[in-house]
């Protein structure tokens, strides 16, 4: 069957989407559900019962036997518990049933999910509740129902509830602004297109490396003779095996209604990227979870392994996720679209300036939203944006803002036509911004691209932050403008004030340079280099007030989330350190001993002959012994350092300790092991090297 057969039939074929609903639901029920989905109106009671029944019939036709409430606990991944549709009858048979109640509410045991001290284990009850704004879908033989997750006493235990709340506050405040421009729209949603980077390696290789299996990244590995220096991989020809993988991945995603659009090779060998077409933030978040899951599942079927870790290999680029962000109305207007003449487009300028101001005011919170142990390997490591948050605007918008600040007219040309000097080539209008790959927060034509996210993380956290901080500034703007007698004058004054006060965060240059680090310090921009230093700011007065003001998190919920994030950091590094120790002691050490024995045996045999030169064997033995000595010592140091970690009081102190003491000890051990790898015979080395893993055919 040709691969492109029936793509349009295939697309969304496993999704209970509005097309299916329209066909299967009575008109008034469909209309009511649509109102809930599109306008955030509360669900009417009788609706759930009818929807549940239609959903079940549809799911059964597609082979489903089970349903599950699918939720996103604070672990950043998804959770599910499957229940069969079966219901026993008196004659000893079963019928397949699914009630409105079962659709709306589930009661999973909440005690084994992180709560950061919010909920004691004896109060184990948790609730999941249907989120009608993200479609249900079928995976395997199960109907998946997107839900939120909270505790018996109402504390939020997931990532979706705060995300929905943040979308709500953005909606409210953006509508206030639009009203001032005479636009009475029903809803403003944030839209997200999340580009996903990943590595694909052979499963055979993956299985031989406990570090990849247990931690997702290589903890040892000398630099291969060839890395990414030839710059041939980015956008390079996609090898056959990978192309087949991508084809199958696309088909899986399309059937789930996920519009996988772009695919290409990335900078590092064996690294790739896919980007879906943007959609509303809630759906984009669910979709990204499915994308990551299917990337791994499909890899398995192709004897490959998909690595989603931020830094699977030292010395080659790591993986991130680019969160393309904009806001749009239910009438289809993109609020970050500058239009033909941005300088005159006051509405656009308000949304633009609000976003810039939000990033400046809450840059710590944005940094915190991407702080994980894995991402610490990337941010600021000359391959990804630094830990300093700044905004790239490009020449044209910078000129527009300059003119707002100074009151002088804009000097830049509005549209620039690209003429290539070849008559047969079409002319085209070039973009308002060039690309600046180094900026953490870049305006790219009609959206902002937040580039600091780690490849492995849920996009919920960063978008809870983005939505809330932009909503916060929009709300301040609306407070001022709603009171104004002369609206035009008030808008001009507000824009000028905002540009002046926030220009410090705008930076169009090279974010990877050392000069920028110094310049940013002079500008007073925070530089929270590591996860523990960033997380320490999570519960700052400013942040607690922000999330409280918009009813996203209570102070208790903030504290619990901080605890969870710190614990996650500690656990991650702890597992990595323990894995290193196991590999060092049980795999590398024996290999070195065996190889040394071979060298020493040769040395002895040669010596026995008499007058043969044994300098080479002697030198090699000495080298092995010296490096092995350092290696064994580093094992001991790491072990002692790790053992002392529990003496720290509180999660923050312990996280700091792991960052400042354990990670450097891990670094020392790795250095010694990698040096040994370079001189121990290949056949003795216990696991595949970087070369073996990265350059397969
Ligand atoms: P690049 O690699 O140049 O950043 P891509 O085409 O790979 O570009 O990704 C751009 C992403 O931005 C896509 O996911 C696209 O759907 C998304 N995008 C485009 N317009 C918007 C918008 N208005 N809101 C959110 N995301 C958008
Ligand atoms: Mg991009």
């Amino acid at each position: 069957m040709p691969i492109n057969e029936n793509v349009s039939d295939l697309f969304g074929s496993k999704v209970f989407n509005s097309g299916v609903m329209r066909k299967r639901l009575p008109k008034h029920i469909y209309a009511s559900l649509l109102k809930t989905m599109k306008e955030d109106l509360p669900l009417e009671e009788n609706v759930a019962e009818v929807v549940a029944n239609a959903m079940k019939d549809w799911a059964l036709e597609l082979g489903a036997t089970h349903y599950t409430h699918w939720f996103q606990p604070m672990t950043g991944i998804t959770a599910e518990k499957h229940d069969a549709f079966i219901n026993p009858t008196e004659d000893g048979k079963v019928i397949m049933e699914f009630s409105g109640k079962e659709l709306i509410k589930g009661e999973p045991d909440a005690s084994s999910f992180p709560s950061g001290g919010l909920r004691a284990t004896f109060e184990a009850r948790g609730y999941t509740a249907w989120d009608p704004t993200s479609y249900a879908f079928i995976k395997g033989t199960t109907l998946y129902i997107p839900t939120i997750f909270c505790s018996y006493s109402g504390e939020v235990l997931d990532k979706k509830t705060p995300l929905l709340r943040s979308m709500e506050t953005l909606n409210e405040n953006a509508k206030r602004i639009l009203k001032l421009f005479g636009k009475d729209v029903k809803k403003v949603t944030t839209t997200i297109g999340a580009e996903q980077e990943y590595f694909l390696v052979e499963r055979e290789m993956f299985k031989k490396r406990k570090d990849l299996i247990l931690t997702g990244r290589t903890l040892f590995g000398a630099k291969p003779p060839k890395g990414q220096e030839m710059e041939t991989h980015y956008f390079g020809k996609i090898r056959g095996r990978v192309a087949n993988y991508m084809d199958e991945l696309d088909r899986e995603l399309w059937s789930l209604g996920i519009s996988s659009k772009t695919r290409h090779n990335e900078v590092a060998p064996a690294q790739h990227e896919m980007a879906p077409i943007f959609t509303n933030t809630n759906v984009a978040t669910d979709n990204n979870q499915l994308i990551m899951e299917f990337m791994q599942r499909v890899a398995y079927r192709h004897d490959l392994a998909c690595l989603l870790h931020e830094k699977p290999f030292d010395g080659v680029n790591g993986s991130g996720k680019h969160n393309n962000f904009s806001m749009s109305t239910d009438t289809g207007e993109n609020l970050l679209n500058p239009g033909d003449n941005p300088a005159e487009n006051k509405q656009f300028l308000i949304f633009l300036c609000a976003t810039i101001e939000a990033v400046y005011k809450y840059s710590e919170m944005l940094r915190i939203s991407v702080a994980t142990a894995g991402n610490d390997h990337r941010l600021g490591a000359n391959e990804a944006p630094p830990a300093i948050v700044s905004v790239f605007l490009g020449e044209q918008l910078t000129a527009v803002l300059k003119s707002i600040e100074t009151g002088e007219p804009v000097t830049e040309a509005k549209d620039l036509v690209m003429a290539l000097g070849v008559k047969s080539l079409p002319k085209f209008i070039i973009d308002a911004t060039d690309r600046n790959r180094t900026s953490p927060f870049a305006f790219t034509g009609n959206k902002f691209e937040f580039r600091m996210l780690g490849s492995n993380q849920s996009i919920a956290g960063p978008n809870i932050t983005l939505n809330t901080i932009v909503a916060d500034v929009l709300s301040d703007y609306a407070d001022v403008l709603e009171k104004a007698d002369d609206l035009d004058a008030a808008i001009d004054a507000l824009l000028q004030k905002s540009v002046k006060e926030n220009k410090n965060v705008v930076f169009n240059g090279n974010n990877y340079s050392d000069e920028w680090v110094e310049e940013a310090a002079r500008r007073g921009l925070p530089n929270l280099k590591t996860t523990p230093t960033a997380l320490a700011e999570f519960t700052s007065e400013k942040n607690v007030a922000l999330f409280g003001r918009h009813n996203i998190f209570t102070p208790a919920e903030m504290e619990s989330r901080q605890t969870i994030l710190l614990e996650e950091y500690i656990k991650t590094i702890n597992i990595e350190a323990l894995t290193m120790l196991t590999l060092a002691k049980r795999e590398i050490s024996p290999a070195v001993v065996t190889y040394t024995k071979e060298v020493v045996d040769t040395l002895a045999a040669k010596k026995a002959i008499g007058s043969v030169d044994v300098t080479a064997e002697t030198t090699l033995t000495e080298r092995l012994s010296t490096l092995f000595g350092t290696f064994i010592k580093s094992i001991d140091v790491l072990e002692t350092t790790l053992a002392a970690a529990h003496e720290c009081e509180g999660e923050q102190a312990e996280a700091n300790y792991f960052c400042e003491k354990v990670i450097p000890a891990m670094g020392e051990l790795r250095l010694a092991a990698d040096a040994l790898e370079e001189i121990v015979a290949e056949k003795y080395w216990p696991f595949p090297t970087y070369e073996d893993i990265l350059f397969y055919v």
Side-chain angles (χ1 to χ4, degrees):
M1 179 176 79
I3 204 99
N4 67 351
E5 197 170 60
N6 299 331
V7 170
S8 63
D9 288 345
L10 175 73
F11 193 86
S13 56
K14 292 182 180 169
V15 185
F16 194 75
N17 55 25
S18 51
V20 180
M21 290 181 202
R22 198 174 47 235
K23 243 191 265 157
R24 290 180 175 254
L25 293 173
K27 248 198 184 115
H28 68 285
I29 299 282
Y30 174 65
S32 165
L33 187 58
L34 214 58
K35 264 193 159 6
T36 301
M37 281 167 12
K38 296 244 161 11
E39 295 167 36
D40 291 338
L41 295 180
L43 194 73
E44 287 175 321
E45 240 170 53
N46 59 329
V47 171
E49 200 58 49
V50 185
V51 175
N53 204 42
M55 237 185 219
K56 179 207 66 185
D57 289 344
W58 169 81
L60 292 182
E61 283 166 31
L62 289 173
T65 50
H66 289 69
Y67 71 91
T68 182
H69 275 199
W70 188 58
F71 58 104
Q72 304 182 17
M74 292 188 274
T75 50
I77 52 174
T78 59
E80 53 194 72
K81 175 184 115 215
H82 298 199
D83 280 302
F85 288 119
I86 57 167
N87 219 342
T89 56
E90 274 181 13
D91 54 359
K93 298 240 175 224
V94 292
I95 48 167
M96 303 299 258
E97 274 185 347
F98 185 49
S99 69
K101 227 169 72 203
E102 287 167 313
L103 168 63
I104 288 184
K105 192 183 86 179
E107 291 187 27
D109 184 333
S111 59
S112 297
F113 294 102
S115 78
L118 267 187
R119 172 195 29 68
T121 339
F122 60 87
E123 297 163 335
R125 201 196 289 272
Y127 290 120
T128 50
W130 179 33
D131 164 21
T133 59
S134 181
Y135 296 135
F137 57 90
I138 288 178
K139 209 175 74 191
T141 52
T142 303
L143 168 68
Y144 281 72
I145 300 154
T147 59
I148 61 105
F149 180 45
C150 62
S151 76
Y152 181 65
S153 39
E155 285 106 356
V156 174
L157 295 176
D158 71 345
K159 297 208 174 221
K160 178 169 262 205
T161 314
L163 182 66
L164 292 173
R165 287 178 180 168
S166 72
M167 290 173 72
E168 183 67 40
T169 182
L170 186 122
N171 171 39
E172 288 306 325
N173 289 299
K175 281 199 301 199
R176 287 172 67 193
I177 298 288
L178 290 174
K179 211 172 209 146
L180 296 165
F181 286 89
K183 294 180 186 169
D184 212 359
V185 303
K186 292 211 171 81
K187 191 169 169 180
V188 174
T189 39
T190 47
T191 51
I192 296 298
E195 302 162 52
Q196 177 72 47
E197 293 182 340
Y198 61 101
F199 278 85
L200 271 187
V201 302
E202 286 186 304
R203 192 156 183 83
E204 264 319 292
M205 297 293 159
F206 173 83
K207 280 196 327 211
K208 289 182 183 147
R209 295 220 38 154
K210 287 210 184 76
D211 49 1
L212 280 181
I213 295 173
L214 294 177
T215 73
R217 74 182 184 103
T218 54
L219 300 167
F220 296 106
K223 272 205 176 52
K226 180 180 172 183
Q228 63 192 45
E229 59 277 71
M230 300 296 284
E231 300 181 340
T232 47
H233 199 256
Y234 188 65
F235 280 15
K237 186 158 60 70
I238 299 172
R239 52 191 143 189
R241 232 172 126 180
V242 172
N244 289 341
Y245 163 87
M246 288 176 168
D247 281 339
E248 193 175 327
L249 177 64
D250 277 347
R251 294 182 69 82
E252 287 283 9
L253 295 177
W254 291 339
S255 76
L256 289 168
I258 300 171
S259 48
S260 170
K261 169 96 173 158
T262 309
R263 54 193 196 188
H264 61 79
N265 285 353
E266 258 302 326
V267 170
Q271 192 186 29
H272 313 279
E273 178 184 302
M274 83 73 85
I277 296 174
F278 70 94
T279 172
N280 82 64
T281 309
N282 182 27
V283 173
T285 304
D286 286 358
N287 285 355
N288 186 255
Q289 292 286 353
L290 288 169
I291 288 167
M292 292 194 284
E293 179 185 332
F294 274 89
M295 281 183 163
Q296 288 169 308
R297 256 173 205 271
V298 174
Y300 193 84
R301 291 183 215 146
H302 289 253
D303 291 326
L304 296 165
C306 172
L307 310 179
L308 289 169
H309 194 281
E310 284 77 12
K311 193 74 176 175
F313 306 98
D314 211 38
V316 289
N317 269 16
S319 302
K321 188 133 60 186
H322 290 175
N323 190 72
N324 293 274
F325 164 91
S326 192
M327 295 162 264
S328 97
T329 64
D330 60 320
T331 50
E333 183 181 356
N334 177 358
L335 300 176
L336 287 177
N337 184 355
D340 294 337
N341 192 354
E344 300 296 322
N345 189 344
K346 295 286 159 67
Q347 183 193 304
F348 160 72
L349 289 171
I350 291 216
F351 284 97
L352 177 79
C353 287
T355 311
I356 298 170
E357 185 164 335
V359 173
Y360 189 36
K361 265 195 182 153
Y362 295 104
S363 67
E364 294 100 337
M365 197 50 230
L366 281 173
R367 164 68 183 101
I368 292 162
S369 77
V370 296
T372 63
N375 219 11
D376 276 5
H377 299 285
R378 292 177 64 243
L379 297 180
N382 271 12
E383 57 165 59
I388 307 162
V389 181
S390 68
V391 177
F392 168 84
L393 289 179
E395 270 172 46
Q396 192 191 22
L397 286 185
T398 304
V400 170
L401 294 199
K402 184 100 207 149
S403 111
I404 292 175
E405 189 190 347
T406 59
E408 308 277 325
V410 189
T411 45
E412 296 302 300
K414 271 184 247 158
D415 280 340
L416 299 168
V417 175
M418 180 70 87
L420 294 164
V422 180
K423 282 208 188 77
S424 59
L425 293 177
K427 291 201 176 58
F428 55 88
I429 310 279
I430 62 171
D431 293 315
T433 54
D434 190 10
R435 291 170 177 250
N436 177 331
R437 287 280 169 200
T438 67
S439 174
F441 204 92
F443 189 77
T444 48
N446 57 4
K447 61 187 187 302
F448 274 103
E449 190 172 346
F450 183 25
R451 302 207 182 100
M452 294 170 84
L453 284 74
S455 49
N456 213 359
Q457 84 175 103
S458 160
I459 65 169
N463 284 307
I464 293 168
T465 301
L466 256 176
N467 293 339
T468 310
I469 63 179
V470 174
D472 194 60
V473 178
L474 288 174
S475 142
D476 286 349
Y477 286 7
D479 287 346
V480 173
L481 299 178
E482 281 163 357
K483 284 201 283 271
D485 297 325
D486 180 347
L487 186 60
D488 284 339
I491 289 174
D492 288 346
L494 180 126
L495 287 174
Q496 191 177 44
K497 180 165 179 284
S498 175
V499 171
K500 274 192 186 151
E501 288 178 358
N502 301 296
K503 64 178 178 189
N504 254 353
V505 79
V506 176
F507 178 64
N508 291 326
N510 178 9
N511 284 257
Y512 294 175
S513 69
D514 294 336
E515 293 81 53
W516 170 234
V517 177
E518 289 160 25
E519 164 73 16
R522 275 195 297 277
R523 293 191 191 186
L525 300 180
N527 184 1
L528 300 168
K529 287 191 188 133
T530 64
T531 293
T533 51
L535 291 179
E537 302 292 319
F538 189 81
T539 46
S540 70
E541 218 172 292
K542 184 165 97 175
N543 292 337
V544 172
L546 166 80
F547 288 113
R549 205 158 47 237
H550 295 272
N551 298 319
I552 313 288
F553 297 126
T554 61
E557 284 169 346
M558 292 282 290
E559 254 169 54
S560 78
R561 264 158 222 258
Q562 183 183 38
T563 306
I564 290 170
L565 291 167
L566 286 166
E567 279 173 353
E568 187 182 283
Y569 177 84
I570 295 164
K571 286 179 199 162
T572 304
I573 311 285
N574 189 47
I575 292 170
E576 288 183 351
L578 291 173
T579 307
M580 268 193 120
L581 287 169
T582 311
L583 284 175
K585 291 195 282 194
R586 308 198 48 214
E587 296 195 22
I588 300 176
S589 187
V592 178
V593 169
T594 318
Y595 178 56
T596 309
K597 179 169 186 307
E598 185 170 319
V599 178
V600 173
D601 284 351
T602 313
L603 177 68
K606 272 189 168 181
K607 262 193 184 152
I609 302 173
S611 60
V612 190
D613 181 7
V614 291
T615 324
E617 286 79 3
T618 313
T619 312
L620 190 51
T621 309
E622 278 166 12
R623 273 186 202 156
L624 282 164
S625 301
T626 312
L627 285 177
F628 196 47
T630 314
F631 175 75
I632 295 293
K633 212 156 73 212
S634 310
I635 292 180
D636 292 344
V637 172
L638 179 55
E639 243 165 1
T640 336
T641 313
L642 203 56
H646 70 267
E647 287 164 22
C648 301
E649 279 193 26
E651 291 86 9
Q652 183 70 53
E654 195 172 350
N656 294 348
Y657 181 87
F658 269 89
C659 182
E660 289 155 19
K661 298 282 188 282
V662 178
I663 289 180
M666 289 165 67
E668 289 299 317
L669 177 56
R670 175 173 187 149
L671 218 57
D674 291 357
L676 281 165
E677 185 191 315
E678 283 172 358
I679 59 166
V680 169
E682 196 177 336
K683 70 169 179 180
Y684 291 108
W685 201 251
F687 39 71
T689 62
Y690 274 22
E691 216 174 313
D692 302 328
I693 304 173
L694 288 170
F695 298 94
Y696 61 98
V697 282

